[in-house]
Amino acid sequence: MKIIYHLIHFLWYALSLLPLRVLYWLSDVLFVFIYHVFGYRRSVVRMNIVTSFPEREPEEHRAIERRFYRWFCDYLVETLKLMTISPEQMKRRLVFRGAELINQCLAEGQSCAIYLGHYCNWEWVTSLPLWVTEKAQCGQIYHPLENKDFDRLQLKVRQRLGAVCIPMESSLRHILEYKQQGRPVVVGYIADQAPFWWNIHHWCQFLHHDTAVLSGSERIAAKLNQAVFYLDITRPRRGYYEAEFIPITREPKEQAEFQITDTYFRLLERSIRRNPEYWLWSHDRWKRTRERFNRRFEVVDGKVHEKATPDPLEY
């Protein structure tokens, strides 16, 4: 396994040294194989697009599908480039609009929670430390990989521009440690993932689906009184992105329960509807249904428990 790790590391590093214009040529080749030859997760992608845009014609569905796969291949090579891209080039290719709002909160001693989705290039958002005050610690919540060697490789790439990866299972503890040190933090939450069954506490309407959503980030923001922003990312042209900070609230404790989460999904849906090809349609986002949840689980004192006598229809 060590040999495989070092081989992958070498290949990743070598490819990342190529100019992006060359990597985009590689992306065009990848598109042929991923879309036309192998049809990577095409049934999932097609079903997600069709059910999310029932008002659109089949021709539009297929056009979104093709554009998604072209962007997805670009995303792959752009992520390769992240291993060696210079800070100067990164600042040209991903411009953060409204970073002064973040710096204002930090100057006043208030940490920030940044909501974003699997939309445009979320990996490049790890360059945010290049735009905020050096007094703050930027980080992103992530799921550690089971393979420790590949997890180490993932951390090396995601942390090379100054952000830290915070394991989801211990995120509150790590953020509290920064608070105890008197250091404000800017934490990115990619909150459009499908939660595990025992993490489902809320459902919302999202892209014509009854959707189970993650709400833990909202509880952390309220507990630590973090200013909450949504990061709206656009792609003006190939290889360039703009990310705008949209304020949601500076007083999370004053918001009704799940109000921040609902606002985030409303803003994310607006972004997706604007340019649907840039969302990660290959993710099986709606595999957990409310009907199945109600058959298998119950909520007791705010915690999800599997029923002692599950609905027989579940088995």
Side-chain angles (χ1 to χ4, degrees):
M1 186 61 69
K2 291 284 187 180
I3 295 176
I4 296 177
Y5 164 79
H6 288 296
L7 177 60
I8 292 177
H9 184 281
F10 171 77
L11 290 175
W12 191 338
Y13 181 82
L15 287 171
S16 72
L17 294 174
L18 296 172
L20 267 171
R21 63 179 180 276
V22 177
L23 290 174
Y24 284 134
W25 175 83
L26 175 61
S27 172
D28 293 338
V29 175
L30 279 175
F31 169 75
V32 175
F33 285 92
I34 291 177
Y35 182 59
H36 291 289
V37 178
F38 299 111
Y40 170 71
R41 298 184 69 86
R42 188 186 293 183
S43 60
V44 173
V45 170
R46 184 163 297 175
M47 178 60 68
N48 284 341
I49 292 173
V50 169
T51 55
S52 296
F53 301 105
E55 73 283 1
R56 301 198 184 191
E57 298 296 325
E59 293 78 9
E60 292 182 86
H61 295 152
R62 289 192 290 271
I64 293 171
E65 178 184 297
R66 288 192 297 272
R67 292 198 301 269
F68 160 72
Y69 278 99
R70 287 196 176 278
W71 164 79
F72 180 69
C73 293
D74 281 0
Y75 158 78
L76 293 177
V77 301
E78 288 170 358
T79 302
L80 288 176
K81 188 65 179 176
L82 187 57
M83 180 173 275
T84 58
I85 191 170
S86 70
E88 295 75 21
Q89 186 179 10
M90 179 58 79
K91 289 192 72 172
R92 292 196 305 270
R93 291 188 174 274
L94 173 55
V95 176
F96 287 92
R97 307 292 185 190
E100 66 276 3
L101 299 175
I102 304 299
N103 287 322
Q104 179 183 347
C105 294
L106 297 173
E108 296 172 4
Q110 186 176 25
S111 293
C112 300
I114 312 298
Y115 278 78
L116 62 153
H118 287 94
Y119 185 79
C120 286
N121 195 321
W122 59 90
E123 298 289 354
W124 279 14
V125 175
T126 57
S127 66
L128 180 57
L130 303 176
W131 296 81
V132 303
T133 174
E134 295 180 359
K135 296 179 180 179
Q137 177 62 64
C138 294
Q140 56 273 339
I141 307 300
Y142 90 114
H143 286 289
L145 301 178
E146 291 185 8
N147 185 288
K148 294 186 182 300
D149 288 327
F150 291 111
D151 187 60
R152 180 159 55 93
L153 180 58
Q154 174 181 250
L155 292 175
K156 179 178 181 179
V157 173
R158 288 181 171 175
Q159 296 183 153
R160 64 175 295 267
L161 293 175
V164 297
C165 290
I166 302 172
M168 176 174 284
E169 294 77 8
S170 55
S171 55
L172 179 58
R173 176 173 61 82
H174 280 82
I175 297 171
L176 278 171
E177 288 176 357
Y178 287 115
K179 184 176 182 179
Q180 292 166 358
Q181 297 167 8
R183 189 175 186 185
V185 297
V186 182
V187 183
Y189 299 93
I190 300 181
D192 58 348
Q193 305 172 65
F196 294 114
W197 289 111
W198 49 89
N199 285 332
I200 297 176
H201 300 280
H202 184 55
W203 302 76
C204 73
Q205 283 298 311
F206 174 58
L207 291 171
H208 292 288
H209 294 84
D210 189 25
T211 306
V213 298
L214 289 167
S215 56
S217 49
E218 175 180 312
R219 292 192 294 274
I220 293 176
K223 184 177 181 66
L224 302 180
N225 194 37
Q226 297 175 333
V228 182
F229 295 82
Y230 170 67
L231 192 63
D232 185 24
I233 309 177
T234 56
R235 195 188 198 213
R237 57 194 175 100
R238 197 179 202 184
Y240 292 87
Y241 297 90
E242 295 182 0
E244 179 183 3
F245 292 103
I246 298 178
I248 294 179
T249 182
R250 288 198 63 176
E251 299 179 342
K253 295 181 179 180
E254 303 301 319
Q255 303 295 301
E257 188 177 24
F258 304 125
Q259 183 176 346
I260 292 174
T261 300
D262 288 341
T263 300
Y264 158 68
F265 275 96
R266 185 173 66 252
L267 292 169
L268 178 60
E269 179 168 334
R270 185 179 70 179
S271 299
I272 294 170
R273 289 189 174 278
R274 181 182 59 219
N275 290 110
E277 61 269 26
Y278 298 143
W279 195 50
L280 191 62
W281 295 103
S282 55
H283 176 45
D284 194 0
R285 181 62 185 82
W286 293 285
K287 58 188 174 184
R288 312 199 202 285
T289 65
R290 193 193 295 254
E291 292 76 15
R292 191 175 180 192
F293 178 84
N294 290 337
R295 288 200 302 265
R296 289 187 56 188
F297 301 92
E298 58 185 350
V299 180
V300 180
D301 296 329
K303 295 184 178 181
V304 177
H305 299 272
E306 192 157 10
K307 292 180 178 179
T309 55
D311 190 320
L313 292 176
E314 186 61 28
Y315 298 96

Tab-separated table of all heavy atoms in Angstrom, residues 178-223:
chain	number	residue	atom	x	y	z
A	178	TYR	N	-9.717	26.627	19.453
A	178	TYR	CA	-9.292	27.911	18.898
A	178	TYR	C	-9.899	29.064	19.688
A	178	TYR	O	-9.241	30.081	19.940
A	178	TYR	CB	-9.690	28.014	17.421
A	178	TYR	CG	-8.858	27.155	16.501
A	178	TYR	CD1	-9.430	26.101	15.801
A	178	TYR	CD2	-7.494	27.405	16.331
A	178	TYR	CE1	-8.662	25.308	14.955
A	178	TYR	CE2	-6.723	26.618	15.485
A	178	TYR	CZ	-7.314	25.569	14.801
A	178	TYR	OH	-6.550	24.793	13.981
A	179	LYS	N	-11.150	28.908	20.097
A	179	LYS	CA	-11.802	29.960	20.878
A	179	LYS	C	-11.093	30.163	22.209
A	179	LYS	O	-10.887	31.292	22.661
A	179	LYS	CB	-13.273	29.612	21.099
A	179	LYS	CG	-14.051	30.706	21.829
A	179	LYS	CD	-15.523	30.374	21.952
A	179	LYS	CE	-16.272	31.506	22.644
A	179	LYS	NZ	-17.730	31.206	22.764
A	180	GLN	N	-10.706	29.059	22.838
A	180	GLN	CA	-10.005	29.158	24.119
A	180	GLN	C	-8.643	29.816	23.972
A	180	GLN	O	-8.126	30.429	24.914
A	180	GLN	CB	-9.862	27.764	24.720
A	180	GLN	CG	-11.192	27.150	25.168
A	180	GLN	CD	-11.098	25.659	25.456
A	180	GLN	OE1	-10.035	25.056	25.294
A	180	GLN	NE2	-12.204	25.059	25.873
A	181	GLN	N	-8.072	29.711	22.770
A	181	GLN	CA	-6.789	30.361	22.489
A	181	GLN	C	-6.955	31.831	22.133
A	181	GLN	O	-5.968	32.540	21.923
A	181	GLN	CB	-6.074	29.638	21.342
A	181	GLN	CG	-5.705	28.196	21.638
A	181	GLN	CD	-5.290	27.418	20.390
A	181	GLN	OE1	-5.141	28.004	19.307
A	181	GLN	NE2	-5.093	26.124	20.520
A	182	GLY	N	-8.222	32.274	22.065
A	182	GLY	CA	-8.494	33.647	21.697
A	182	GLY	C	-8.286	33.927	20.225
A	182	GLY	O	-8.073	35.080	19.822
A	183	ARG	N	-8.366	32.883	19.399
A	183	ARG	CA	-8.117	33.031	17.969
A	183	ARG	C	-9.412	32.834	17.196
A	183	ARG	O	-10.017	31.747	17.256
A	183	ARG	CB	-7.079	32.012	17.509
A	183	ARG	CG	-6.601	32.228	16.087
A	183	ARG	CD	-5.483	31.257	15.730
A	183	ARG	NE	-4.930	31.561	14.428
A	183	ARG	CZ	-4.006	30.836	13.815
A	183	ARG	NH1	-3.527	29.755	14.409
A	183	ARG	NH2	-3.555	31.183	12.625
A	184	PRO	N	-9.900	33.857	16.475
A	184	PRO	CA	-11.125	33.679	15.686
A	184	PRO	C	-10.895	32.707	14.538
A	184	PRO	O	-9.767	32.564	14.039
A	184	PRO	CB	-11.439	35.086	15.175
A	184	PRO	CG	-10.114	35.784	15.172
A	184	PRO	CD	-9.334	35.207	16.324
A	185	VAL	N	-11.960	32.051	14.106
A	185	VAL	CA	-11.851	31.061	13.034
A	185	VAL	C	-12.865	31.359	11.936
A	185	VAL	O	-13.896	31.997	12.164
A	185	VAL	CB	-12.072	29.623	13.561
A	185	VAL	CG1	-10.996	29.243	14.556
A	185	VAL	CG2	-13.447	29.473	14.181
A	186	VAL	N	-12.529	30.910	10.754
A	186	VAL	CA	-13.456	30.920	9.619
A	186	VAL	C	-13.583	29.471	9.177
A	186	VAL	O	-12.616	28.884	8.684
A	186	VAL	CB	-12.933	31.794	8.462
A	186	VAL	CG1	-13.952	31.802	7.319
A	186	VAL	CG2	-12.639	33.204	8.935
A	187	VAL	N	-14.757	28.896	9.379
A	187	VAL	CA	-14.952	27.473	9.123
A	187	VAL	C	-15.903	27.276	7.951
A	187	VAL	O	-17.000	27.854	7.927
A	187	VAL	CB	-15.507	26.752	10.367
A	187	VAL	CG1	-15.640	25.266	10.092
A	187	VAL	CG2	-14.603	26.986	11.574
A	188	GLY	N	-15.485	26.480	6.982
A	188	GLY	CA	-16.323	26.163	5.838
A	188	GLY	C	-17.087	24.863	6.054
A	188	GLY	O	-16.500	23.857	6.468
A	189	TYR	N	-18.389	24.911	5.800
A	189	TYR	CA	-19.244	23.733	5.941
A	189	TYR	C	-19.855	23.396	4.579
A	189	TYR	O	-20.642	24.178	4.036
A	189	TYR	CB	-20.383	24.001	6.931
A	189	TYR	CG	-19.950	24.332	8.336
A	189	TYR	CD1	-19.788	25.662	8.735
A	189	TYR	CD2	-19.716	23.334	9.275
A	189	TYR	CE1	-19.401	25.974	10.024
A	189	TYR	CE2	-19.329	23.640	10.573
A	189	TYR	CZ	-19.178	24.967	10.936
A	189	TYR	OH	-18.794	25.275	12.225
A	190	ILE	N	-19.472	22.257	4.016
A	190	ILE	CA	-20.152	21.763	2.818
A	190	ILE	C	-21.342	20.954	3.313
A	190	ILE	O	-21.202	19.781	3.693
A	190	ILE	CB	-19.210	20.921	1.941
A	190	ILE	CG1	-18.021	21.767	1.494
A	190	ILE	CG2	-19.956	20.381	0.719
A	190	ILE	CD1	-17.044	21.027	0.590
A	191	ALA	N	-22.498	21.578	3.334
A	191	ALA	CA	-23.641	21.036	4.074
A	191	ALA	C	-24.719	20.418	3.198
A	191	ALA	O	-25.841	20.193	3.661
A	191	ALA	CB	-24.249	22.138	4.951
A	192	ASP	N	-24.406	20.128	1.935
A	192	ASP	CA	-25.431	19.547	1.062
A	192	ASP	C	-25.279	18.036	0.914
A	192	ASP	O	-25.845	17.428	0.005
A	192	ASP	CB	-25.401	20.204	-0.319
A	192	ASP	CG	-24.045	20.068	-1.016
A	192	ASP	OD1	-23.067	19.665	-0.355
A	192	ASP	OD2	-23.975	20.381	-2.222
A	193	GLN	N	-24.530	17.403	1.818
A	193	GLN	CA	-24.366	15.957	1.766
A	193	GLN	C	-25.580	15.254	2.369
A	193	GLN	O	-26.314	15.828	3.172
A	193	GLN	CB	-23.113	15.553	2.540
A	193	GLN	CG	-21.852	16.253	2.067
A	193	GLN	CD	-20.680	15.979	2.977
A	193	GLN	OE1	-20.234	14.848	3.091
A	193	GLN	NE2	-20.158	17.005	3.623
A	194	ALA	N	-25.766	13.995	1.999
A	194	ALA	CA	-26.832	13.193	2.602
A	194	ALA	C	-26.385	12.756	3.989
A	194	ALA	O	-25.352	12.099	4.129
A	194	ALA	CB	-27.138	11.975	1.737
A	195	PRO	N	-27.120	13.110	5.042
A	195	PRO	CA	-26.700	12.727	6.395
A	195	PRO	C	-26.927	11.248	6.659
A	195	PRO	O	-27.761	10.600	6.011
A	195	PRO	CB	-27.603	13.589	7.297
A	195	PRO	CG	-28.812	13.846	6.466
A	195	PRO	CD	-28.355	13.914	5.045
A	196	PHE	N	-26.161	10.699	7.618
A	196	PHE	CA	-26.451	9.350	8.080
A	196	PHE	C	-27.811	9.365	8.794
A	196	PHE	O	-28.265	10.402	9.281
A	196	PHE	CB	-25.356	8.860	9.022
A	196	PHE	CG	-24.019	8.679	8.366
A	196	PHE	CD1	-22.936	9.478	8.722
A	196	PHE	CD2	-23.845	7.725	7.379
A	196	PHE	CE1	-21.701	9.318	8.109
A	196	PHE	CE2	-22.613	7.547	6.762
A	196	PHE	CZ	-21.540	8.350	7.127
A	197	TRP	N	-28.418	8.196	8.887
A	197	TRP	CA	-29.761	8.122	9.468
A	197	TRP	C	-29.821	8.789	10.834
A	197	TRP	O	-30.754	9.534	11.134
A	197	TRP	CB	-30.199	6.659	9.586
A	197	TRP	CG	-30.509	5.975	8.299
A	197	TRP	CD1	-29.797	4.976	7.710
A	197	TRP	CD2	-31.619	6.229	7.427
A	197	TRP	NE1	-30.382	4.586	6.521
A	197	TRP	CE2	-31.509	5.329	6.325
A	197	TRP	CE3	-32.686	7.114	7.460
A	197	TRP	CZ2	-32.426	5.303	5.287
A	197	TRP	CZ3	-33.608	7.094	6.421
A	197	TRP	CH2	-33.469	6.193	5.354
A	198	TRP	N	-28.817	8.535	11.694
A	198	TRP	CA	-28.881	9.038	13.068
A	198	TRP	C	-28.538	10.526	13.169
A	198	TRP	O	-28.590	11.090	14.249
A	198	TRP	CB	-27.953	8.226	13.966
A	198	TRP	CG	-26.580	8.051	13.422
A	198	TRP	CD1	-25.513	8.878	13.601
A	198	TRP	CD2	-26.121	6.984	12.588
A	198	TRP	NE1	-24.413	8.407	12.940
A	198	TRP	CE2	-24.757	7.229	12.301
A	198	TRP	CE3	-26.735	5.831	12.058
A	198	TRP	CZ2	-24.001	6.377	11.501
A	198	TRP	CZ3	-25.965	4.985	11.257
A	198	TRP	CH2	-24.623	5.260	10.998
A	199	ASN	N	-28.196	11.138	12.037
A	199	ASN	CA	-27.943	12.581	12.022
A	199	ASN	C	-29.075	13.371	11.390
A	199	ASN	O	-28.934	14.570	11.138
A	199	ASN	CB	-26.638	12.881	11.280
A	199	ASN	CG	-25.412	12.527	12.092
A	199	ASN	OD1	-25.452	12.543	13.319
A	199	ASN	ND2	-24.329	12.184	11.424
A	200	ILE	N	-30.191	12.701	11.110
A	200	ILE	CA	-31.318	13.391	10.473
A	200	ILE	C	-32.217	14.003	11.547
A	200	ILE	O	-32.839	13.301	12.337
A	200	ILE	CB	-32.125	12.422	9.584
A	200	ILE	CG1	-31.250	11.899	8.435
A	200	ILE	CG2	-33.363	13.129	9.020
A	200	ILE	CD1	-31.928	10.868	7.554
A	201	HIS	N	-32.260	15.322	11.569
A	201	HIS	CA	-33.119	16.050	12.505
A	201	HIS	C	-34.048	17.020	11.792
A	201	HIS	O	-34.889	17.650	12.435
A	201	HIS	CB	-32.263	16.819	13.510
A	201	HIS	CG	-31.370	15.946	14.336
A	201	HIS	ND1	-31.814	15.248	15.442
A	201	HIS	CD2	-30.054	15.624	14.192
A	201	HIS	CE1	-30.813	14.554	15.965
A	201	HIS	NE2	-29.739	14.755	15.223
A	202	HIS	N	-33.867	17.139	10.473
A	202	HIS	CA	-34.666	18.129	9.751
A	202	HIS	C	-34.778	17.722	8.284
A	202	HIS	O	-33.871	17.104	7.720
A	202	HIS	CB	-34.012	19.512	9.867
A	202	HIS	CG	-34.791	20.615	9.244
A	202	HIS	ND1	-36.109	20.888	9.562
A	202	HIS	CD2	-34.438	21.550	8.305
A	202	HIS	CE1	-36.532	21.928	8.874
A	202	HIS	NE2	-35.549	22.342	8.095
A	203	TRP	N	-35.910	18.090	7.684
A	203	TRP	CA	-36.163	17.865	6.262
A	203	TRP	C	-36.579	19.196	5.645
A	203	TRP	O	-37.210	20.021	6.298
A	203	TRP	CB	-37.280	16.836	6.046
A	203	TRP	CG	-37.015	15.502	6.665
A	203	TRP	CD1	-37.103	15.168	7.989
A	203	TRP	CD2	-36.614	14.308	5.990
A	203	TRP	NE1	-36.780	13.857	8.187
A	203	TRP	CE2	-36.484	13.290	6.971
A	203	TRP	CE3	-36.363	13.985	4.654
A	203	TRP	CZ2	-36.106	11.988	6.646
A	203	TRP	CZ3	-35.983	12.694	4.334
A	203	TRP	CH2	-35.862	11.717	5.314
A	204	CYS	N	-36.207	19.401	4.392
A	204	CYS	CA	-36.659	20.615	3.709
A	204	CYS	C	-36.904	20.303	2.238
A	204	CYS	O	-36.453	19.271	1.715
A	204	CYS	CB	-35.634	21.741	3.855
A	204	CYS	SG	-34.133	21.545	2.872
A	205	GLN	N	-37.630	21.183	1.579
A	205	GLN	CA	-37.865	21.044	0.148
A	205	GLN	C	-36.679	21.635	-0.606
A	205	GLN	O	-36.326	22.801	-0.431
A	205	GLN	CB	-39.152	21.764	-0.255
A	205	GLN	CG	-40.420	21.004	0.099
A	205	GLN	CD	-40.506	19.663	-0.625
A	205	GLN	OE1	-40.315	19.581	-1.844
A	205	GLN	NE2	-40.798	18.607	0.125
A	206	PHE	N	-36.048	20.804	-1.417
A	206	PHE	CA	-34.847	21.219	-2.135
A	206	PHE	C	-34.862	20.580	-3.516
A	206	PHE	O	-34.873	19.351	-3.638
A	206	PHE	CB	-33.609	20.787	-1.340
A	206	PHE	CG	-32.288	21.023	-2.012
A	206	PHE	CD1	-31.910	22.300	-2.407
A	206	PHE	CD2	-31.398	19.981	-2.238
A	206	PHE	CE1	-30.685	22.524	-3.019
A	206	PHE	CE2	-30.174	20.189	-2.831
A	206	PHE	CZ	-29.810	21.467	-3.231
A	207	LEU	N	-34.939	21.402	-4.551
A	207	LEU	CA	-34.959	20.915	-5.933
A	207	LEU	C	-36.067	19.880	-6.147
A	207	LEU	O	-35.843	18.814	-6.721
A	207	LEU	CB	-33.596	20.332	-6.315
A	207	LEU	CG	-32.455	21.348	-6.438
A	207	LEU	CD1	-31.122	20.631	-6.601
A	207	LEU	CD2	-32.682	22.291	-7.621
A	208	HIS	N	-37.271	20.203	-5.672
A	208	HIS	CA	-38.452	19.352	-5.859
A	208	HIS	C	-38.351	18.026	-5.111
A	208	HIS	O	-39.051	17.069	-5.459
A	208	HIS	CB	-38.718	19.084	-7.346
A	208	HIS	CG	-39.157	20.297	-8.116
A	208	HIS	ND1	-40.403	20.846	-7.970
A	208	HIS	CD2	-38.494	21.071	-9.015
A	208	HIS	CE1	-40.517	21.905	-8.765
A	208	HIS	NE2	-39.365	22.062	-9.405
A	209	HIS	N	-37.504	17.943	-4.091
A	209	HIS	CA	-37.371	16.721	-3.305
A	209	HIS	C	-37.581	17.020	-1.823
A	209	HIS	O	-37.134	18.058	-1.328
A	209	HIS	CB	-35.971	16.096	-3.473
A	209	HIS	CG	-35.671	15.596	-4.850
A	209	HIS	ND1	-35.209	16.413	-5.857
A	209	HIS	CD2	-35.749	14.355	-5.384
A	209	HIS	CE1	-35.016	15.697	-6.951
A	209	HIS	NE2	-35.331	14.444	-6.691
A	210	ASP	N	-38.223	16.096	-1.144
A	210	ASP	CA	-38.272	16.122	0.311
A	210	ASP	C	-36.912	15.613	0.786
A	210	ASP	O	-36.596	14.426	0.629
A	210	ASP	CB	-39.408	15.219	0.803
A	210	ASP	CG	-39.654	15.355	2.294
A	210	ASP	OD1	-39.328	16.404	2.853
A	210	ASP	OD2	-40.189	14.390	2.890
A	211	THR	N	-36.087	16.500	1.353
A	211	THR	CA	-34.663	16.237	1.510
A	211	THR	C	-34.232	16.215	2.972
A	211	THR	O	-34.468	17.175	3.717
A	211	THR	CB	-33.848	17.322	0.768
A	211	THR	OG1	-34.292	17.387	-0.599
A	211	THR	CG2	-32.365	17.013	0.805
A	212	ALA	N	-33.591	15.123	3.378
A	212	ALA	CA	-32.961	15.066	4.695
A	212	ALA	C	-31.690	15.904	4.647
A	212	ALA	O	-30.892	15.783	3.717
A	212	ALA	CB	-32.627	13.621	5.058
A	213	VAL	N	-31.492	16.764	5.652
A	213	VAL	CA	-30.371	17.694	5.598
A	213	VAL	C	-29.555	17.652	6.881
A	213	VAL	O	-30.048	17.298	7.954
A	213	VAL	CB	-30.857	19.141	5.347
A	213	VAL	CG1	-31.563	19.244	4.007
A	213	VAL	CG2	-31.775	19.617	6.478
A	214	LEU	N	-28.281	18.020	6.750
A	214	LEU	CA	-27.409	18.174	7.902
A	214	LEU	C	-27.718	19.498	8.604
A	214	LEU	O	-27.853	20.530	7.943
A	214	LEU	CB	-25.945	18.155	7.463
A	214	LEU	CG	-25.380	16.820	6.983
A	214	LEU	CD1	-24.044	17.032	6.294
A	214	LEU	CD2	-25.227	15.850	8.148
A	215	SER	N	-27.798	19.468	9.926
A	215	SER	CA	-28.086	20.696	10.671
A	215	SER	C	-27.092	20.934	11.797
A	215	SER	O	-27.230	21.894	12.559
A	215	SER	CB	-29.508	20.641	11.246
A	215	SER	OG	-29.686	19.487	12.061
A	216	GLY	N	-26.075	20.075	11.906
A	216	GLY	CA	-25.094	20.229	12.978
A	216	GLY	C	-24.317	21.528	12.888
A	216	GLY	O	-23.967	22.128	13.916
A	217	SER	N	-24.027	21.987	11.661
A	217	SER	CA	-23.275	23.231	11.504
A	217	SER	C	-24.057	24.416	12.057
A	217	SER	O	-23.475	25.356	12.614
A	217	SER	CB	-22.932	23.450	10.027
A	217	SER	OG	-24.076	23.288	9.216
A	218	GLU	N	-25.373	24.378	11.931
A	218	GLU	CA	-26.201	25.445	12.489
A	218	GLU	C	-26.098	25.477	14.010
A	218	GLU	O	-26.001	26.554	14.625
A	218	GLU	CB	-27.654	25.243	12.062
A	218	GLU	CG	-28.631	26.231	12.680
A	218	GLU	CD	-30.064	26.000	12.236
A	218	GLU	OE1	-30.303	25.857	11.018
A	218	GLU	OE2	-30.937	25.960	13.121
A	219	ARG	N	-26.081	24.312	14.622
A	219	ARG	CA	-25.974	24.256	16.083
A	219	ARG	C	-24.614	24.759	16.557
A	219	ARG	O	-24.513	25.440	17.578
A	219	ARG	CB	-26.224	22.821	16.565
A	219	ARG	CG	-27.657	22.344	16.359
A	219	ARG	CD	-27.924	21.047	17.098
A	219	ARG	NE	-27.159	19.931	16.555
A	219	ARG	CZ	-27.565	19.185	15.535
A	219	ARG	NH1	-28.717	19.453	14.940
A	219	ARG	NH2	-26.834	18.171	15.103
A	220	ILE	N	-23.553	24.433	15.803
A	220	ILE	CA	-22.223	24.921	16.166
A	220	ILE	C	-22.167	26.441	16.049
A	220	ILE	O	-21.657	27.141	16.934
A	220	ILE	CB	-21.141	24.262	15.284
A	220	ILE	CG1	-21.042	22.771	15.581
A	220	ILE	CG2	-19.790	24.937	15.486
A	220	ILE	CD1	-20.077	22.030	14.680
A	221	ALA	N	-22.707	26.978	14.938
A	221	ALA	CA	-22.689	28.424	14.731
A	221	ALA	C	-23.438	29.151	15.843
A	221	ALA	O	-22.990	30.201	16.335
A	221	ALA	CB	-23.303	28.760	13.370
A	222	ALA	N	-24.577	28.600	16.263
A	222	ALA	CA	-25.352	29.233	17.328
A	222	ALA	C	-24.639	29.129	18.669
A	222	ALA	O	-24.585	30.102	19.433
A	222	ALA	CB	-26.737	28.596	17.402
A	223	LYS	N	-24.083	27.974	18.947
A	223	LYS	CA	-23.403	27.768	20.235
A	223	LYS	C	-22.212	28.702	20.394
A	223	LYS	O	-21.956	29.238	21.493
A	223	LYS	CB	-22.937	26.311	20.347
A	223	LYS	CG	-22.287	25.963	21.695
A	223	LYS	CD	-21.920	24.491	21.757
A	223	LYS	CE	-21.295	24.131	23.103
A	223	LYS	NZ	-22.257	24.278	24.213
